Amino acid sequence: MTSEIDLLSLDEFEKQLGELIEVSARNGIRFDRSWTFRRPNGDTPDVMVEITRLRDSPDDS
């Protein structure tokens, strides 16, 4: 990962987030938890991201 951050439109952000969540689920990442992200510099805010599973998919049976 580089130190340069590419700006995304809202649509691009949602598309990339959706792809990340799909790949994560296929690779065994469990949801229903939160993650805190802090950047070492003061240029960006600290954030907490929470992902909650709304329902099981048919593949989870």
Side-chain angles (χ1 to χ4, degrees):
M1 178 171 233
T2 66
S3 62
E4 293 295 319
I5 297 174
D6 294 329
L7 298 178
L8 301 174
S9 69
L10 180 58
D11 288 341
E12 291 168 327
F13 173 78
E14 289 179 351
K15 180 179 185 280
Q16 287 191 19
L17 179 60
E19 290 171 0
L20 177 64
I21 291 171
E22 287 179 33
V23 168
S24 299
R26 284 196 302 268
N27 285 295
I29 301 295
R30 308 252 334 154
F31 299 116
D32 287 335
R33 62 166 285 197
S34 64
W35 294 265
T36 301
F37 296 93
R38 291 186 173 94
R39 301 281 297 180
N41 59 26
D43 295 344
T44 57
D46 295 341
V47 296
M48 179 183 289
V49 176
E50 183 173 352
I51 299 176
T52 303
R53 181 186 294 199
L54 299 179
R55 63 180 168 91
D56 288 339
S57 68
D59 297 335
D60 292 339
S61 314

